[in-house]
Amino acid sequence: MIGRLRQFSDEERALRKREASRLYRTSSNGRKKRVEHFLKYCKKYPWKVNAANALTYARKIKRVPLWLTKEHKAEILQFFMDASYIQNLTKTRMSVDHIVPFNGEKVSGLHVPWNLQILTYAENSGKRNKFTEAKCL
């Protein structure tokens, strides 16, 4: 057997692959690699992470309509992409704001493209959950 490679069956190969995957997921070294990969991804694509976080929060509070299409989601991602681009150009912190806030006093908005706008972080923080009808007209 020395000098000869053992031939594995397809089942054995699949089992070894699953076992290696499990070890990668559970080992501290595998966890470190996943965290490093995620941090690199966050640095490279911050708009995707921000858009995903906003969508997750909107789903949690039930503000994402069922009829939202892939095109709508692409438009939403474009808002976050544009905000990131403007932020890099101007070196001013930008954020994507909902015109009609999720938790407004009188009305509650949805997470849809036509309810989004790009504001500076200071403007968005000052706005809070306020909604003025004059801005929508």
Side-chain angles (χ1 to χ4, degrees):
M1 205 64 173
I2 296 175
R4 297 175 81 194
L5 295 175
R6 182 172 174 222
Q7 297 296 320
F8 294 106
S9 69
D10 291 338
E11 291 174 9
E12 288 176 314
R13 266 194 225 108
L15 178 65
R16 283 174 168 257
K17 192 173 184 179
R18 280 195 307 269
E19 188 65 22
S21 177
R22 185 188 63 77
L23 288 174
Y24 174 78
R25 284 192 311 264
T26 57
S27 72
S28 62
N29 190 27
R31 186 179 185 323
K32 285 179 189 175
K33 286 182 181 179
R34 285 193 319 279
V35 168
E36 287 172 10
H37 176 73
F38 179 71
L39 292 176
K40 284 180 187 176
Y41 183 85
C42 289
K43 207 167 217 169
K44 190 173 181 180
Y45 304 108
W47 63 89
K48 286 185 179 182
V49 175
N50 292 340
N53 289 341
L55 184 63
T56 300
Y57 176 69
R59 279 191 179 132
K60 182 178 178 183
I61 61 171
K62 296 178 175 53
R63 294 294 183 262
V64 180
L66 295 175
W67 44 261
L68 201 66
T69 64
K70 286 183 181 181
E71 290 80 19
H72 292 143
K73 290 177 184 175
E75 288 179 48
I76 291 171
L77 183 62
Q78 189 64 46
F79 267 98
F80 285 91
M81 212 170 174
D82 293 345
S84 181
Y85 180 74
I86 293 169
Q87 182 171 314
N88 289 338
L89 282 180
T90 62
K91 303 298 182 207
T92 304
R93 193 170 173 193
M94 303 302 283
S95 64
V96 176
D97 173 56
H98 291 87
I99 298 167
V100 180
F102 286 155
N103 301 320
E105 292 175 11
K106 296 180 182 178
V107 293
S108 294
L110 295 175
H111 189 64
V112 290
W114 49 90
N115 189 31
L116 299 177
Q117 64 182 348
I118 298 172
L119 295 175
T120 64
Y121 184 76
E123 289 172 340
N124 194 22
S125 297
K127 182 184 166 206
R128 295 213 168 101
N129 282 336
K130 296 174 189 159
F131 169 67
T132 55
E133 291 180 36
K135 287 187 178 180
C136 288
L137 298 176

